[in-house]
Amino acid sequence: DSGVTQTPKHLITATGQRVTLRCSPRSGDLSVYWYQQSLDQGLQFLIQYYNGEERAKGNILERFSAQQFPDLHSELNLSSLELGDSALYFCASSVSGDLGQPQHFGDGTRLSIL
Amino acid sequence: KNEVEQSPQNLTAQEGEFITINCSYSVGISALHWLQQHPGGGIVSLFMLSSGKKKHGRLIATINIQEKHSSLHITASHPRDSAVYICAVSRGSQGNLIFGKGTKLSVKP
């Protein structure tokens, strides 16, 4: 058990809809990362937060947004969903997000767009 | 060309065999990570290293910074080692990871 909790585990929705994925980091970790794993692109970094502030941005679409709340949990919002957004979405956390720190991954949210 | 390349893509071994998975990268890195993804999808961090060698149980990870190459070795492989092994690197001052495409390992009893 990594200590990182992601909900829901599975999400099925339709094109055009909006969903929110939730992540609670490991106790004591201040940094949260969001990653997307799709069949064609593999694992890709989306966005990183540290103590409530955005720290780094990767291949995140404009239709996607995220935030980290004062209690350090994070939410990834996906809107105007397209079939290609079907993927596994992982959250990971680390103590501060600096160099030399391992990341602890949640079990992922599997998003299926019908 | 991907910044992180792994080989082989697929690997089948008999129980007890010594296994090596290779990772090459083309960019400067601050650290290299080996991850294990179970058939159910969950990801476990196995190693993070920036130099030398690390060992945990039957798993050994090595890195050669000059050659931009890392290897993950599994000694006395077991069917429960069957999983996808992913190499990832972090660059610069940020911790976010760039991933290889993974090596799917199947260990037969």
Side-chain angles (χ1 to χ4, degrees):
Chain A
D1 181 11
S2 68
V4 178
T5 303
Q6 286 190 250
T7 57
K9 291 193 185 314
H10 302 278
L11 202 46
I12 302 173
T13 188
T15 55
Q17 296 298 305
R18 172 189 167 94
V19 297
T20 297
L21 313 184
R22 183 187 168 103
C23 169
S24 294
R26 207 174 59 131
S27 178
D29 286 358
L30 299 179
S31 193
V32 168
Y33 305 81
W34 285 99
Y35 297 99
Q36 178 195 58
Q37 185 177 37
S38 62
L39 283 175
D40 53 346
Q41 299 286 339
L43 271 162
Q44 291 191 99
F45 166 66
L46 295 178
I47 197 163
Q48 178 197 2
Y49 279 82
Y50 170 71
N51 205 20
E53 299 290 326
E54 181 184 305
R55 194 168 204 187
K57 221 167 186 175
N59 298 325
I60 188 165
L61 299 172
E62 283 192 14
R63 299 183 286 109
F64 296 0
S65 64
Q67 54 183 327
Q68 186 179 27
F69 294 87
D71 67 352
L72 300 177
H73 92 270
S74 178
E75 292 181 356
L76 179 66
N77 300 296
L78 315 177
S79 61
S80 302
L81 287 167
E82 302 176 0
L83 292 175
D85 298 328
S86 294
L88 255 177
Y89 291 84
F90 286 100
C91 165
S93 71
S94 66
V95 174
S96 70
D98 290 332
L99 300 177
Q101 293 178 5
Q103 294 185 21
H104 306 274
F105 285 78
D107 289 337
T109 293
R110 187 174 296 276
L111 175 63
S112 299
I113 312 298
L114 302 180
Chain B
K1 189 180 190 306
N2 294 327
E3 292 172 295
V4 181
E5 297 276 0
Q6 285 185 239
S7 63
Q9 266 189 299
N10 294 282
L11 183 54
T12 301
Q14 288 297 125
E15 184 173 355
E17 284 184 1
F18 180 84
I19 288 162
T20 296
I21 298 171
N22 295 300
C23 175
S24 296
Y25 52 92
S26 58
V27 296
I29 68 169
S30 50
L32 184 140
H33 303 246
W34 282 102
L35 310 170
Q36 180 193 53
Q37 185 167 26
H38 299 294
I43 294 176
V44 174
S45 179
L46 299 175
F47 294 104
M48 184 192 67
L49 63 166
S50 54
S51 65
K53 176 178 174 178
K54 287 191 176 180
K55 185 175 189 288
H56 186 257
R58 296 180 294 105
L59 302 179
I60 303 166
T62 64
I63 187 168
N64 184 317
I65 297 294
Q66 286 73 31
E67 294 186 5
K68 295 186 175 176
H69 181 269
S70 175
S71 293
L72 177 68
H73 305 286
I74 305 175
T75 61
S77 59
H78 190 275
R80 66 174 174 267
D81 297 326
S82 298
V84 176
Y85 292 83
I86 301 169
C87 172
V89 301
S90 52
R91 301 180 59 191
S93 59
Q94 296 158 358
N96 58 279
L97 300 178
I98 303 168
F99 301 87
K101 293 197 178 299
T103 295
K104 186 174 182 179
L105 172 65
S106 179
V107 182
K108 306 291 186 189

